[in-house]
Amino acid sequence: MDDLVQLARDKDKGKDVAIITINNPPVNALSPGVAKAIAQAIEQVSKDVAIKAVVLIGGGRTFIAGADIKEFGKITSGKAQRGAGLLPLLLQIEDVRKPVVVAIHGSAFGGGLELAMAGHYRVAAPNAQLGQPEVKLGIIPGAGGTQRLPRLVGVAKAVEMCAEGNPISAQEALKLGLVDHLIEGDLLSGAIAFSRDMAARPLRKTRERNERVRSDKDKLGVPEQTAPVFAAAREKAHTKQRGMMAPLAAIDAVEAATRLSFEEGCRVEQKLFGECLFSDQSKALIRAFFGEREVAKIPDIPKDTALLPVNSVAVVGAGTMGGGIAMVFANAGFPVLLKEADQPALDRGLATIQKNYQSSVKRGRLTQQFVDERLQLIQPVLSYDDFGKVDMVVEAVFEGMELKKEVFGQLDRVCRPGAILASNTSTLDIEEIASATSRSDAVIGTHFFSPANVMRLLEIVRGKSSSKEVIATCMQLSKKLGKVGVLVGNCRGFVGNRMFGPYRREAQFLVEEGASIESVDKALFDFGMAMGPMATGDLAGLDVGWRIRKEYRHLEKPGVRQPFAEDRLCELGRYGQKTGAGWYKYDENRRAIPDPEVNEMVRRWARAAGITQREISSEEIVDRCIYALVNEGARILEEGIALRAVDIDIIYLNGYGFPAYRGGPMWYADTVGLDKVYRRISEFHKQHGELWEPAPLLKRLAEEGRTFAELNREQAVMA
Ligand code: 3H9
């Protein structure tokens, strides 16, 4: 045993309770060292006749957040062997002939919950969370979780927890029988007292509690009766976790618990776990897990950079974005001033906020009490009078440089020194916006994604003068707001929208070359995108891009092909969902209906423009659209607009509906092989001209046989 696990006796007179404390900060991950040390402690207490009961508890801020995820990479890359894992340890705990009480605070996730279930009893602090989140990493529980959980909570709940991966509260766990007792106050003393109470009772091994998996008394346990549960779970997984293999494997493993003995069920689980672990999907999802944390680390901004206080905010503009941003802050407990230019606009904005909240209440996502409290935090205003009191302002007015500069000039006059002045611009030059103030160091971009209260991504746009304190504060604030903040450099469209331009451009080109609108959307939907590019355009509003294109038309290079079909649709008043027609027609429920007339119209326009019409395969559709993202991403990386490839990927996973199990565009390109991607882009370059010129970085990496992921953090310098 070493520092990772401590074994002690209780301090009461009996001194007959052993306390095993796990200390592997920050989250007590069950690394092989920890598992070995727990096994040694268990062996010792098993032999010690003076010990009547055992309490197993986590030191620090949490119980156990699961197996050490870093170990998986070592196994799949061949640097470590896949052994028996945690299974023998859990059997050893279950076989102890005195009560083992597991005391849970913080999180008991993955291997942490599996270990807890091997104990004879579980007690928990009221704010503890319990779950089997493995599917979110592309794997399934691999230490008996799919076999022990149904024995404790029943088949239906176990399927849900293992296949969907969401945690449950301590209160729910108590109701389900996953936890035996909740302890208010000091967890350890409560657990010791509880363990003494249990010392005289017969021991219950979870693996032998078969009544919920196979007994006739519990209907859920009879295989014929559980069939509908598994069928429904599979159907749900096919729609809600489309394309992912782990949820289906998790369902199979739980189903094995209803048909096989515990030992045989564990063997099925092991096999499925291994298949998932070695899949590309789990590699992509595990990399995304660490990536989400890595993006918070900015090489030139030390961890101890002083943070500015942000306790109150103001939002300028109560349109769709402004209203959503106000909700984001209110949801996180911040008082918000919401400003509009006139009363009718303010009333409209507030009505939309109320409508959005009400629909969340109706769906059971929020309680009425929560909503009432949030609405209290949003104070509608028509003037800047109280702006001197707030710590941060987020401007969310119409996307036009002149208007933004006017607002920032005003903010400069009314805000207190030290206040953060942020713009929600999605494309405009943040430095030019900052030039309207006398404090460009206080100015930064906070680009929320629509709907702001739903989407997790927050692009934080760094101007040349944005101060380190302002950047560090916004990065930390993003976490408080429940967002993933990714720092990006200043250029037109920043990272996300700059890459999305070529992606949607290619989608339109494909339609202009003869692919049907539906076939383009279907190919990318089948690839895993949340929506196809044409449907996405209709949702966002085709007029948005049309207006921007008109503003920037003078920058287009003469002779370089530009898509035109979408502009023509806009000229016909087809702006997308909001006008009932765009690339598709829409019914009153905004359901898309293919419109053969549009396909025909585009074909006519294309022929008139001399574009040859041809059959286009779904493979070409995917390559053209996805490699357009990759090529632009490589330029962004080379220019230092993104720090690392992973930053781009996290943006695409959280803001653009890129399938998480493919890891993001840059990771996807790495998995295809950059030499192959480069060759394909070179082909497109020959066929379609200079828009497809391969990014120099891509060419270099392809020639060197390297990957985007290999460009490490030390090389990351932001423009
Ligand atoms: C599993 O258990 C499989 C089993 O069936 C057994 C199979 C044999 N491992 O998130 P944070 C790091 S699979 C290694 O910022 P928070 C994290 O990278 C596992 N490292 O804190 C970060 O490092 P850094 C199933 C881990 O308070 C630091 O800890 N379990 C692990 O916002 C702090 O993390 C899960 O999927 C880990 N398991 O959130 C749970 N967990 O400081 C994964 C965290 O260097 N973890 N780290 O950037 C979580 O969901 C969150 O970390 C948690 C805390 C909610 C616990």
Side-chain angles (χ1 to χ4, degrees):
M1 219 179 316
D2 51 27
D3 294 349
L4 295 170
V5 171
Q6 281 90 44
L7 176 57
R9 293 281 185 92
D10 68 293
K11 295 194 172 61
D12 297 339
K13 20 183 204 319
K15 293 196 179 35
D16 51 0
V17 178
I19 303 155
I20 300 175
T21 308
I22 298 149
N23 268 314
N24 186 22
V27 294
N28 290 330
L30 275 176
S31 59
V34 172
K36 192 168 157 218
I38 297 174
Q40 285 170 357
I42 292 287
E43 196 182 336
Q44 225 166 301
V45 299
S46 300
K47 284 188 205 146
D48 191 337
V49 287
I51 289 173
K52 299 280 177 286
V54 182
V55 169
L56 209 151
I57 193 166
R61 63 170 151 126
T62 190
F63 177 60
I64 296 172
D68 187 342
I69 302 169
K70 289 194 192 86
E71 289 298 315
F72 298 140
K74 292 185 199 160
I75 294 172
T76 51
S77 63
K79 289 188 191 124
Q81 284 281 323
R82 183 180 164 214
L86 298 168
L87 282 172
L89 169 66
L90 305 199
L91 290 177
Q92 184 193 358
I93 293 173
E94 216 166 31
D95 287 341
V96 173
R97 286 158 69 181
K98 35 197 132 191
V100 176
V101 175
V102 179
I104 300 167
H105 72 298
S107 316
F109 286 170
L113 178 56
E114 290 173 302
L115 184 138
M117 289 190 292
H120 304 114
Y121 298 96
R122 283 150 296 283
V123 297
N127 60 0
Q129 298 252 307
L130 298 88
Q132 298 285 179
E134 287 88 342
V135 286
K136 300 198 178 191
L137 300 171
I139 53 176
I140 66 166
T146 62
Q147 307 302 302
R148 283 194 180 88
L149 193 57
R151 286 173 162 84
L152 291 174
V153 302
V155 173
K157 191 68 193 177
V159 170
E160 182 193 307
M161 287 177 70
C162 293
E164 296 175 25
N166 299 320
I168 60 169
S169 65
Q171 289 72 19
E172 192 180 352
L174 180 70
K175 268 194 223 141
L176 291 165
L178 182 55
V179 155
D180 300 289
H181 185 55
L182 292 192
I183 293 181
E184 305 275 351
D186 185 60
L187 180 64
L188 179 59
S189 34
I192 292 171
F194 182 87
S195 72
R196 282 220 175 82
D197 290 347
M198 296 304 121
R201 305 244 185 121
L203 292 178
R204 316 170 306 175
K205 292 184 189 177
T206 306
R207 66 176 191 265
E208 288 170 3
R209 293 172 67 178
N210 285 339
E211 66 275 14
R212 295 197 83 149
V213 276
R214 238 168 285 116
S215 154
D216 283 337
K217 272 185 245 120
D218 188 330
K219 293 292 176 226
L220 270 183
V222 183
E224 306 79 66
Q225 304 280 343
T226 52
V229 173
F230 295 113
R234 287 189 178 102
E235 201 176 311
K236 195 168 175 195
H238 279 301
T239 47
K240 301 258 177 204
Q241 294 149 298
R242 187 165 50 90
M244 286 186 60
M245 63 187 277
L248 296 171
I251 297 167
D252 289 351
V254 177
E255 192 172 30
T258 65
R259 297 181 186 277
L260 303 170
S261 69
F262 176 82
E263 290 71 23
E264 287 166 329
C266 282
R267 276 198 286 278
V268 171
E269 182 193 84
Q270 283 303 293
K271 184 173 168 285
L272 291 165
F273 175 83
E275 284 166 16
C276 289
L277 181 64
F278 283 90
S279 69
D280 282 346
Q281 294 200 355
S282 98
K283 286 176 200 152
L285 286 160
I286 288 174
R287 188 277 198 147
F289 173 84
F290 287 115
E292 224 176 73
R293 283 143 186 90
E294 192 170 1
V295 295
K297 293 164 191 155
I298 316 296
D300 72 324
I301 300 189
K303 239 178 154 183
D304 56 359
T305 302
L307 298 176
L308 303 168
V310 178
N311 297 310
S312 61
V313 296
V315 176
V316 186
T320 312
M321 284 313 293
I325 295 168
M327 288 171 77
V328 169
F329 278 101
N331 289 348
F334 290 87
V336 188
L337 295 179
L338 179 61
K339 184 191 173 300
E340 253 304 344
D342 55 51
Q343 194 64 47
L346 195 53
D347 291 343
R348 272 196 307 275
L350 283 171
T352 308
I353 291 176
Q354 268 156 354
K355 199 177 105 204
N356 289 340
Y357 272 134
Q358 276 323 313
S359 90
S360 298
V361 172
K362 251 197 218 148
R363 288 184 196 169
R365 290 202 187 133
L366 299 176
T367 63
Q368 188 61 48
Q369 189 196 342
F370 178 90
V371 165
D372 292 344
E373 284 165 11
R374 304 304 124 178
L375 285 170
Q376 285 289 320
L377 287 171
I378 302 176
Q379 189 192 333
V381 293
L382 289 170
S383 76
Y384 287 104
D385 290 354
D386 288 328
F387 273 49
K389 296 179 196 152
V390 300
D391 300 320
M392 175 173 182
V393 181
V394 181
E395 163 279 310
V397 299
F398 189 74
E399 189 79 345
M401 185 53 89
E402 284 321 303
L403 180 59
K404 301 244 178 210
K405 281 170 96 168
E406 197 185 307
V407 170
F408 272 77
Q410 186 67 30
L411 294 177
D412 193 32
R413 285 188 284 280
V414 298
C415 291
R416 66 164 180 78
I420 296 174
L421 308 184
S423 172
N424 181 52
T425 179
S426 55
T427 47
L428 300 174
D429 182 342
I430 197 73
E431 280 152 29
E432 192 179 339
I433 294 174
S435 72
T437 71
S438 61
R439 37 172 140 172
S440 53
D441 56 333
V443 177
I444 193 160
T446 49
H447 177 207
F448 289 83
F449 284 68
S450 185
N453 52 316
V454 176
M455 300 295 285
R456 282 186 81 218
L457 177 62
L458 180 61
E459 266 186 334
I460 297 174
V461 190
R462 173 182 202 167
K464 285 247 178 316
S465 329
S466 309
S467 78
K468 291 187 176 178
E469 290 77 13
V470 167
I471 296 171
T473 305
C474 288
M475 291 300 290
Q476 207 229 21
L477 184 65
S478 61
K479 206 168 177 190
K480 275 196 199 155
L481 298 177
K483 305 284 173 202
V484 187
V486 184
L487 190 65
V488 299
N490 184 32
C491 68
R492 198 175 137 206
F494 317 124
V495 170
N497 283 347
R498 177 169 154 187
M499 286 168 65
F500 210 54
Y503 169 80
R504 291 207 66 251
R505 173 197 79 206
E506 286 306 311
Q508 283 189 68
F509 279 167
L510 287 156
V511 174
E512 291 171 8
E513 289 164 29
S516 71
I517 295 156
E518 302 79 54
S519 69
V520 171
D521 272 355
K522 181 172 185 309
L524 287 148
F525 182 79
D526 289 349
F527 173 80
M529 298 296 290
M531 273 177 123
M534 321 316 273
T536 308
D538 276 357
L539 175 69
L542 303 183
D543 56 320
V544 181
W546 181 44
R547 270 181 240 285
I548 295 171
R549 280 192 294 279
K550 279 199 280 193
E551 202 174 312
Y552 288 98
R553 196 129 285 162
H554 62 284
L555 297 178
E556 283 169 13
K557 237 170 146 185
V560 176
R561 182 181 169 192
Q562 294 297 335
F564 58 82
E566 199 159 287
D567 291 354
R568 297 260 178 100
L569 292 178
C570 287
E571 284 158 17
L572 295 172
R574 299 184 72 118
Y575 291 175
Q577 289 196 15
K578 60 180 151 189
T579 57
W583 289 104
Y584 295 90
K585 284 189 288 201
Y586 292 88
D587 65 12
E588 61 285 1
N589 298 319
R590 292 202 166 195
R591 231 189 340 250
I593 304 160
D595 189 346
E597 230 177 82
V598 182
N599 275 315
E600 202 31 62
M601 234 164 16
V602 177
R603 235 153 256 164
R604 248 191 349 261
W605 296 335
R607 275 195 216 101
I611 300 170
T612 313
Q613 300 293 289
R614 63 194 173 90
E615 287 278 319
I616 301 178
S617 68
S618 39
E619 189 207 351
E620 179 178 343
I621 294 171
V622 169
D623 285 357
R624 289 265 296 271
C625 293
I626 301 297
Y627 292 168
L629 285 177
V630 174
N631 206 29
E632 196 63 29
R635 286 186 203 286
I636 280 174
L637 210 48
E638 192 154 38
E639 290 168 26
I641 296 296
L643 274 169
R644 301 148 288 220
V646 76
D647 293 60
I648 298 177
D649 287 333
I650 294 300
I651 286 174
Y652 263 78
L653 299 185
N654 291 287
Y656 293 85
F658 201 94
Y661 61 82
R662 293 197 193 268
M666 311 313 276
W667 179 264
Y668 171 70
D670 279 349
T671 54
V672 171
L674 294 191
D675 53 340
K676 206 167 153 206
V677 174
Y678 171 68
R679 277 203 305 278
R680 189 80 165 129
I681 288 180
S682 303
E683 270 171 38
F684 293 150
H685 187 205
K686 265 196 217 120
Q687 290 160 11
H688 303 286
E690 71 180 88
L691 288 171
W692 274 104
E693 186 173 346
L697 176 67
L698 172 65
K699 180 171 188 284
R700 178 159 62 80
L701 291 176
E703 283 168 357
E704 290 169 1
R706 297 173 69 208
T707 60
F708 288 123
E710 279 170 40
L711 295 172
N712 62 20
R713 204 185 311 157
E714 285 74 53
Q715 287 172 288
V717 185
M718 192 160 255

